[in-house]
Amino acid sequence: MRERRAFQNVRRAREFEAFVAGAAGRLLHAATLLTAEPPNANPRARRLLTLALAHTYASWDRLRGEDPYDRARQQLAVRFARGAWHQYGALGRARPAPSPSVPSSGSVAVLARLTPQERLVLVLRMYEGVAEEQTAALLGLPVERVRAICARAMTTLLHPPRGPAPTMAKVVPS
């Protein structure tokens, strides 16, 4: 009996290692987009991924045909939403400023302008390709709300706010 249990544990560990080898890069990229951290300095994204993978491993035997990538992505989104809720008071209410101590690349600076809720919806919908209905169910929002958040985020990305208009010098006739 012990040998069989040990064999099952080894098989489980190997299956999970193979899953992580194939999916961790994409999941880390999604976590980095969510946190709006630079790819080379992303401790929050790495912690988010580690927690999501730990939860996925803990429920590995109960997946029963479910895609482990979907489960890990769901955990990533839920943990990000919870963290954003606690950090900013309410998901989507505050627009955090990018950290001045960490240099940011162009795409990170653009994503940092979005609220955590807008980033979450945008990453799920556009990067991960999750359907509106599934995104709405995952976040507990109506489909129309997900659609509106995604549209607002895309508008912010495609049409960034402009700086103040240049002042015109007065021309005095001579």
Side-chain angles (χ1 to χ4, degrees):
M1 189 67 152
R2 277 188 168 170
E3 290 175 9
R4 188 169 127 186
R5 183 74 177 152
F7 177 75
Q8 288 174 338
N9 287 339
V10 168
R11 180 185 50 81
R12 175 184 187 214
R14 284 186 185 150
E15 287 175 355
F16 185 74
E17 287 173 7
F19 163 70
V20 170
R26 184 172 171 101
L27 287 168
L28 178 60
H29 187 69
T32 303
L33 292 173
L34 287 172
T35 59
E37 295 175 309
N40 56 353
N42 54 0
R44 286 182 50 222
R46 289 177 184 278
R47 177 155 171 74
L48 198 63
L49 176 62
T50 301
L51 293 170
L53 288 175
H55 187 275
T56 303
Y57 182 72
S59 62
W60 191 258
D61 291 333
R62 293 184 306 266
L63 290 178
R64 307 248 190 272
E66 184 182 339
D67 185 9
Y69 186 85
D70 288 341
R71 176 66 65 96
R73 179 180 55 216
Q74 178 182 8
Q75 277 301 310
L76 200 66
V78 166
R79 289 188 179 279
F80 174 75
R82 273 192 209 137
W85 180 270
H86 292 296
Q87 186 174 358
Y88 302 112
L91 187 61
R93 296 274 188 241
R95 291 185 185 266
S99 174
S101 61
V102 179
S104 63
S105 66
S107 62
V108 172
V110 169
L111 287 174
R113 286 197 311 256
L114 300 175
T115 65
Q117 187 179 50
E118 289 170 340
R119 278 198 312 268
L120 180 57
V121 169
L122 199 66
V123 168
L124 287 174
R125 291 281 299 121
M126 300 301 155
Y127 179 71
E128 288 292 324
V130 178
E132 284 179 341
E133 295 79 16
Q134 289 175 311
T135 302
L138 177 64
L139 301 178
L141 297 171
V143 175
E144 296 80 22
R145 180 77 179 128
V146 168
R147 192 174 296 131
I149 292 168
C150 191
R152 184 177 62 227
M154 289 301 292
T155 300
T156 302
L157 292 179
L158 296 174
H159 307 288
R162 297 182 186 177
T167 57
M168 298 294 289
K170 278 191 170 180
V171 177
V172 179
S174 29

